[in-house]
Amino acid sequence: MRWLVGWSSAAAGTAGLGSAGSVGYDGETLHPVGSQLLWGDPDPLWAVGDWRPDEVRVVTADEQNRIAVLGICGASDEELRRGLFTARGGALRHLTNWPGSYTAVVQVGRRVTVCGDLAGARPVFHTPWAGGTAYATAALPLADLIEANLDFGHLAALLAAPDVPAALRDTTPYEGVRRIPPGHALVLRTGAREIAGYEQISSLAVSAPSADPDRAVDAVRDALVEAVRTRLAAPRHVPDLDPGPVPGMGPAERRARRGMPVPGIGADLSGGPASATLALLAAGLPGRPGTLLGHGTGERLLAVTFNDLAVGGREAEVQRAGALAADPRLHHVVVTGGEEALPYADLDGPLTDEPGPSLVMAGRHRARLAAGSADHFTGHGARQVLDAHPARLADLLMDRRRRHLVGPVAALARADGSVLVPARVYGAARRLARTPYRAGLEELAERLMRRRFEEPKGAVGASLAALTWAAPGPAARWLTGEALAEVSVLLGVEGDRSSGTGVQRPGEHRARAALARYAADLRVLEQSAEVRSQRLHAPFLDNQVVRACRALPEALRVRPGARAEILRTVLESTGITDLPPGWGTPSHASSAAAARAGLRLSADPLLDLFSRPLLADAGLVDGSVIRGALRSAATGATVEGLADLVSLELWLHRLLSRRGTCWSGTPARSRAVPAGIQRRRDALASGL
């Protein structure tokens, strides 16, 4: 893990000892373990973890005016300096306009500004501490700093309604540690904090402005090309040297066995349009993708395809990946995985900053990434930023653009084979367009209270279920009545608070919430499946790419196959036209089949995990009910929501079994959840 951490004190001289350390409980000096100091007191900032030299840049105008950028940023030092001078007047948005994925921290006198990203892949957290405010890009260091206990209300909401911002609010799994929403910045003035938004939100009262589709797609192309070019222009890094040959193994096998990536740049090549677009762009742009430090003759871009031998159904995707890899600029590697690479098969792994459903998939992804490059492109996030959430049909009705509903509704009718589909979908969209946000939260609260979780099946059923302001998560059915009641009360309170305030359109609101949830889980996946010396790049989650995708007209994005069509246009405009037949065809094989197979094969370890579940100690689930669900899944029953439960239980075990703390110079008690699971009677309502 890598993060930055710092604090803003209430008064100069009260937070430190002149060396960017702070006075702890017993007079000891506090500083993060494994950190490098970026600037010192009275408002110090550290970078913690295995940052590369080019990933940490500090530009200083004088001792009171400086900017730090951590991550991949395409801005030059002169552009950073101009950005610093502009930020002195309070402007924030320009700090997020540079290509790449990064976190910017600006210090102007005693004012410190930390900018989060639009997707939520690079979050910012904060907590009151020592009369001021501590902040970080990870929640666990702050939880260690204040000895935070678990926030049971957040954990309950994470299972009951993970895609509902009103349920999660700004809380984290650690009590007292808060996160800023995507598209916002944390502004600290001598310890006092303020959350400021830097992105414009569309109004409910005014119709969304019409955009030219061709120009919008061109903007997506430009943003994607610039995101890829920024990463190609960064210095190349060589992983730790190979210690020597192993009998019967080639260099690639030795690297994979020892968890070492291949030097240079590579990309996923799953056969889908998103990963293929990035692989072809990275291989086609100038910059010698495989060249180290910009010297030498260059190498082909390493394209990695995962072939699941345990669960079939993706043969067509693998064939398309092979056809794409016939490009002489690509070196194709196929990684095969059997039963050992199924979900739930590998339950060992590192402690992540937060829990997420992808923890049960970490071993599966690690097997693929171990064969990848030191800098590895992934297509994560393309579906969330390019596809239309079904609730956007209500947005079209609100803008009086009914004719654009014909395409998606006709596609659903063909998939279902029923002539009643258009009327059902149109009625649901019309009802959502006329439903206030507060009424949508009240409806979800009632569903949780009455335990109404049945949803219609199939593509039409999923679309109808998504045509609401808020929906329960797949694991909500397994929560206790008390936990569901507390989340229902919380939703009621948030609904009252939202009364009279401006709320986004329902489709846009649901799309932003889904993107934030996906980005948070992707962050968990990156930490749990991390390969030493490797960097994963997800250009679709860069600020500028997200902005360009949000500017796409809704009439364009609701068309069936819109994502593949947009990415095909992006490639054609860059000179890549030879795409294989079936490009962009959605796969009929589902990850649910692999999940069911993994549950059957890992039934015994999972039953052991839930023999005395910590979730039951927290009052969130009934252990016997979960064990019964696991036994049903082992016999082939389709059980939704188990990934969320297993991941959270795994995360709790790893958190409570950890030793040490993120801080040196602190007493042994200074760490998160020092006393284990100690649920209070009103714990779930503590955050109301």
Side-chain angles (χ1 to χ4, degrees):
M1 289 176 57
R2 291 166 296 280
W3 64 85
L4 63 86
V5 61
W7 55 67
S8 176
S9 58
T14 62
L17 301 174
S19 59
S22 178
V23 178
Y25 295 104
D26 300 324
E28 72 282 0
T29 300
L30 306 183
H31 59 273
V33 175
S35 63
Q36 56 174 310
L37 181 65
L38 302 184
W39 59 64
D41 286 332
D43 304 313
L45 175 67
W46 293 271
V48 186
D50 60 336
W51 292 95
R52 294 172 175 175
D54 59 287
E55 292 176 332
V56 180
R57 288 195 291 163
V58 179
V59 174
T60 302
D62 53 56
E63 292 185 358
Q64 295 296 316
N65 297 273
R66 45 202 169 188
I67 179 173
V69 175
L70 291 90
I72 300 294
C73 180
S76 64
D77 287 351
E78 183 58 33
E79 289 175 317
L80 293 181
R81 188 171 287 105
R82 289 199 300 266
L84 170 60
F85 291 146
T86 306
R88 294 171 65 178
L92 297 178
R93 192 176 189 272
H94 71 284
L95 298 174
T96 67
N97 285 346
W98 299 309
S101 178
Y102 57 89
T103 301
V105 184
V106 175
Q107 184 185 51
V108 178
R110 294 300 312 281
R111 187 184 72 201
V112 178
T113 303
V114 191
C115 295
D117 67 336
L118 290 176
R122 301 183 71 92
V124 178
F125 305 89
H126 62 90
T127 187
W129 184 72
T133 300
Y135 63 90
T137 53
L140 183 57
L142 300 183
D144 280 348
L145 187 65
I146 65 172
E147 298 178 337
N149 289 312
L150 290 171
D151 188 332
F152 297 102
H154 177 85
L155 298 181
L158 202 60
L159 295 174
D163 293 328
V164 182
L168 297 175
R169 299 164 293 157
D170 62 346
T171 57
T172 68
Y174 313 100
E175 193 174 26
V177 179
R178 305 280 175 163
R179 87 172 67 231
I180 67 170
H184 288 69
L186 175 66
V187 183
L188 305 174
R189 295 179 175 88
T190 60
R193 63 187 174 276
E194 174 190 354
I195 309 298
Y198 59 76
E199 202 70 8
Q200 183 178 1
I201 302 298
S202 61
S203 171
L204 279 172
V206 181
S207 174
S210 58
D212 180 67
D214 294 334
R215 291 186 178 180
V217 174
D218 288 345
V220 173
R221 176 204 60 202
D222 294 342
L224 270 178
V225 168
E226 192 61 29
V228 173
R229 182 179 284 119
T230 297
R231 289 162 171 87
L232 292 179
R236 308 296 160 80
H237 295 268
V238 183
D240 295 338
L241 296 178
D242 193 337
V246 175
M249 288 188 183
E253 293 174 313
R254 292 200 303 270
R255 280 192 293 264
R257 179 67 62 87
R258 290 166 175 161
M260 296 169 56
V262 178
I265 291 183
D268 283 341
L269 189 62
S270 66
S275 63
T277 297
L278 294 178
L280 294 174
L281 284 178
L285 290 176
R288 296 179 178 177
T291 306
L292 301 176
L293 304 179
H295 301 291
T297 58
E299 299 176 4
R300 294 177 295 171
L301 182 136
L302 177 66
V304 180
T305 299
F306 181 76
N307 187 12
D308 191 349
L309 301 180
V311 179
R314 296 192 180 273
E315 292 79 7
E317 285 192 0
V318 175
Q319 290 178 0
R320 282 197 295 271
L324 290 165
D327 190 316
R329 296 168 296 185
L330 297 177
H331 172 59
H332 195 207
V333 173
V334 179
V335 178
T336 58
E339 294 181 350
E340 75 286 349
L342 285 172
Y344 305 96
D346 184 4
L347 299 182
D348 294 328
L351 171 65
T352 56
D353 191 42
E354 297 180 275
S358 61
L359 283 179
V360 301
M361 305 280 290
R364 186 177 181 85
H365 288 278
R366 197 181 300 117
R368 181 187 83 255
L369 296 175
S373 297
D375 288 277
H376 198 75
F377 285 93
T378 68
H380 291 300
R383 184 186 304 274
Q384 285 68 30
V385 298
L386 287 174
D387 285 12
H389 192 282
R392 286 191 182 272
L393 298 179
D395 294 359
L396 290 173
L397 287 180
M398 295 175 70
D399 293 339
R400 302 180 183 276
R401 299 175 182 175
R402 296 178 179 85
R403 62 187 179 89
H404 297 298
L405 273 68
V406 175
V409 171
L412 288 173
R414 288 193 298 269
D416 188 78
S418 172
V419 296
L420 301 178
V421 168
R424 294 170 62 195
V425 174
Y426 181 83
R430 189 166 179 263
R431 185 166 53 253
L432 174 59
R434 296 184 174 187
T435 301
Y437 177 65
R438 179 179 178 180
L441 294 183
E442 291 175 349
E443 180 182 355
L444 175 60
E446 182 181 1
R447 290 188 62 184
L448 294 178
M449 285 288 290
R450 299 181 179 275
R451 305 187 70 91
R452 291 176 22 226
F453 304 120
E454 296 76 14
E455 299 288 358
K457 304 298 182 182
V460 175
S463 297
L464 292 174
L467 282 167
T468 58
W469 275 106
R477 67 187 72 243
W478 307 112
L479 291 181
T480 61
E482 180 185 0
L484 291 174
E486 294 291 352
V487 177
S488 300
V489 172
L490 188 150
L491 288 170
V493 173
E494 292 299 313
D496 293 338
R497 291 175 180 171
S498 68
S499 179
T501 61
V503 180
Q504 306 163 27
R505 300 167 184 273
E508 183 180 357
H509 174 81
R510 290 297 304 272
R512 289 176 185 253
L515 175 61
R517 176 61 183 149
Y518 179 85
D521 193 47
L522 176 62
R523 181 169 171 261
V524 172
L525 175 62
E526 291 178 345
Q527 296 170 6
S528 59
E530 185 177 24
V531 176
R532 183 180 178 185
S533 301
Q534 186 180 69
R535 294 291 187 272
L536 297 184
H537 302 284
F540 284 102
L541 298 181
D542 288 4
N543 281 345
Q544 290 298 76
V545 178
V546 171
R547 284 193 179 102
C549 292
R550 285 179 177 174
L552 290 169
E554 290 182 346
L556 172 62
R557 76 166 73 232
V558 298
R559 296 176 186 171
R563 172 161 42 103
E565 180 182 345
I566 291 170
L567 294 180
R568 178 191 290 272
T569 304
V570 166
L571 290 176
E572 289 177 347
S573 61
T574 57
I576 302 172
T577 58
D578 189 16
L579 299 177
W583 161 269
T585 303
S587 173
H588 296 287
S590 172
S591 58
R596 287 193 295 269
L599 281 171
R600 288 195 299 270
L601 292 172
S602 304
D604 292 338
L606 291 175
L607 288 172
D608 292 340
L609 178 68
F610 282 90
S611 59
R612 295 189 61 182
L614 296 175
L615 288 174
D617 294 340
L620 300 180
V621 302
D622 185 329
S624 61
V625 173
I626 302 303
R627 289 190 291 271
L630 290 171
R631 294 189 184 96
S632 299
T635 60
T638 301
V639 182
E640 297 181 356
L642 284 183
D644 303 73
L645 292 172
V646 173
S647 297
L648 184 50
E649 183 71 18
L650 276 174
W651 182 82
L652 288 174
H653 277 274
R654 294 173 187 175
L655 177 66
L656 297 184
S657 62
R658 72 187 283 249
R659 296 179 179 271
T661 174
C662 295
W663 300 84
S664 64
T666 64
R669 67 181 184 276
S670 183
R671 63 180 182 184
V673 199
I677 301 286
Q678 288 190 344
R679 180 176 176 273
R680 300 185 302 276
R681 184 175 182 82
D682 61 341
L684 293 179
S686 60
L688 295 179

